[in-house]
Amino acid sequence: MKLSWKQYDLKLKHTFRISRSARDIAPVIILEMVHDGITAYGEASPTKRYGESLETIGAFFASLDLSRFESPMQLEDILAYVDAAAPGNTSAKCAVDLALHDWVGKKLGVPLYQLWGLNPAKTAPCSFTIAIDSKEVVEQKVHEAAEFPILKVKLGLDNDEEMINTIRKVTDKVLYVDANEGWKDRNLALERIKWLKDQNVEFVEQPMPADQFDDLKWLRDRADLPLIADESVLRLSEVPRLAEAFDGINIKLMKCTGVREAMRMINTARALNMKVMMGCMIETAVGISAGAHLAPLLDYADLDGNVLVSNDPFDGVRNIKGRLSLNSQPGLGVTLRP
Ligand code: MG
């Protein structure tokens, strides 16, 4: 198994502003794995918050010795080795997980959804994200998103009401809200959620900081909308505790090390009677397609990371009016654009 990797700078169509940051370019690393004449792809989209950078990802790949394994088919053994190689490094681990799954699908000649027995016609509807911006830009973005039936709105600064009012002037479609930990006071959070309930909002993602778990529990007991954990959840082991403070979890492949662990998180959340959403970072069609193969198992999909960029080097799952359309090509179903 031969690994090589390359950096791509993804250009965002609009500056992407959430409650704690803003950016125009998102660098990612594409991992290529060649074995037995088959080329497979993985992707790592690093997040500073979780201690990753382009440098840490390259160093992690370089530290791996996959020559000890005979075949990528030995997924369990290889991924156990990769996970134990160093703590953290979740997006780098994800890249390896995706490349292995892509390879296995290609070797067997089946798309991943088929390998897992899932119906590609049943992918959860996918939302389109509206980041925080001025009234004029938000209005323009809502018009541009006319074909998407569900919008996910970023809130958590002091212009929450203005954001929602601006959107509601243009459309009455269903909204998901993501506060990205922006509300630090639980009474304020409760008040905002009460108001959002009247604005046809379906749920609120991460209303308060992950380190205010007791406040989140308090809020969950009183809030009229489902609360979905995002910043509070990274990996499988955290899911059971979160059932005390949230109604669902937002799984991100880049945080949970890939589709293998994501599947376990989905099953665990279901056992706890929790809703399941899958989100993404800014990613190419490699990461987005990987998530989309699991979309038939989700309640909510927020896999628009590559729709927000103008130079995705890959073609894969298509987002057609908010519906994730998986193709019948084997593995992840992605191809490098010429
Ligand atoms: Mg979020």
Side-chain angles (χ1 to χ4, degrees):
M1 273 168 269
K2 202 175 152 321
L3 301 181
S4 59
W5 52 94
K6 193 176 160 191
Q7 177 183 339
Y8 283 90
D9 288 332
L10 300 180
K11 294 193 185 88
L12 288 148
K13 291 175 187 163
H14 290 281
T15 299
F16 196 76
R17 186 171 288 110
I18 64 169
S19 65
R20 59 176 171 266
S21 63
R23 59 183 180 161
D24 293 293
I25 299 243
V28 298
I29 290 187
I30 296 297
L31 180 70
E32 203 180 279
M33 189 184 82
V34 180
H35 182 76
D36 204 9
I38 294 172
T39 301
Y41 296 105
E43 174 173 13
S45 179
T47 305
K48 240 196 254 158
R49 178 192 177 105
Y50 306 115
E52 290 194 275
S53 64
L54 299 171
E55 292 70 35
T56 64
I57 291 167
F60 183 80
F61 292 154
S63 76
L64 299 175
D65 173 19
L66 300 185
S67 68
R68 64 179 72 198
F69 301 100
E70 268 169 37
S71 160
M73 289 286 183
Q74 297 166 339
L75 281 169
E76 280 295 330
D77 291 354
I78 301 171
L79 289 172
Y81 159 75
V82 169
D83 199 18
N89 291 286
T90 57
S91 79
K93 291 172 181 175
C94 173
V96 180
D97 167 281
L98 300 192
L100 287 168
H101 282 86
D102 191 30
W103 192 93
V104 169
K106 283 172 170 162
K107 180 72 178 173
L108 299 175
V110 291
L112 289 181
Y113 63 78
Q114 203 173 346
L115 199 63
W116 296 328
L118 303 176
N119 182 350
K122 290 188 174 167
T123 52
C126 184
S127 54
F128 181 84
T129 301
I130 305 289
I132 299 172
D133 224 311
S134 67
K135 268 202 260 190
E136 294 69 27
V137 177
V138 167
E139 201 171 322
Q140 180 201 340
K141 284 197 274 193
V142 174
H143 281 297
E144 282 175 28
E147 64 179 293
F148 297 98
I150 303 169
L151 300 179
K152 175 165 139 172
V153 186
K154 295 288 194 178
L155 296 185
L157 294 184
D158 49 18
N159 65 339
D160 289 348
E161 288 199 22
E162 178 188 286
M163 285 283 298
I164 297 293
N165 289 336
T166 303
I167 294 167
R168 279 289 171 246
K169 261 195 342 203
V170 183
T171 178
D172 59 359
K173 57 181 72 161
V174 172
L175 302 180
Y176 301 164
V177 157
D178 187 356
N180 285 109
E181 308 185 294
W183 304 325
K184 316 291 182 202
D185 176 86
R186 64 190 192 182
N187 289 300
L188 169 86
L190 185 60
E191 212 173 279
R192 295 262 160 104
I193 292 170
K194 238 181 221 151
W195 183 76
L196 290 169
K197 163 95 175 158
D198 295 331
Q199 312 298 318
N200 193 21
V201 166
E202 187 145 329
F203 64 76
V204 175
E205 206 180 307
Q206 201 69 40
M208 300 186 69
D211 60 13
Q212 291 178 227
F213 193 69
D214 288 337
D215 286 330
L216 282 159
K217 280 203 284 193
W218 179 92
L219 186 62
R220 195 267 184 105
D221 286 341
R222 292 159 181 81
D224 309 330
L225 289 175
L227 304 183
I228 308 289
D230 182 3
E231 283 84 346
S232 286
V233 61
L234 285 158
R235 301 194 55 177
L236 173 65
S237 60
E238 290 141 21
V239 178
R241 175 174 178 257
L242 292 174
E244 295 171 36
F246 291 95
D247 303 284
I249 55 168
N250 182 358
I251 299 171
K252 289 184 179 156
L253 298 179
M254 296 298 157
K255 295 198 301 188
C256 80
T257 74
V259 292
R260 204 153 187 86
E261 181 145 330
M263 184 75 95
R264 292 177 179 148
M265 291 172 82
I266 293 170
N267 294 335
T268 303
R270 292 301 182 205
L272 294 162
N273 203 19
M274 295 176 91
K275 297 273 190 200
V276 185
M277 170 176 186
M278 184 170 284
C280 59
M281 306 299 181
I282 302 300
E283 300 167 18
T284 73
V286 173
I288 299 301
S289 298
H293 282 272
L294 288 166
L297 294 173
L298 308 173
D299 297 296
Y300 316 111
D302 179 32
L303 297 169
D304 63 351
N306 67 333
V307 179
L308 302 173
V309 307
S310 59
N311 62 336
D312 187 346
F314 285 89
D315 189 15
V317 65
R318 301 268 171 90
N319 189 322
I320 300 167
K321 297 181 180 174
R323 178 58 53 190
L324 294 163
S325 174
L326 287 154
N327 59 49
S328 56
Q329 292 172 51
L332 294 173
V334 297
T335 46
L336 197 53
R337 292 180 201 270

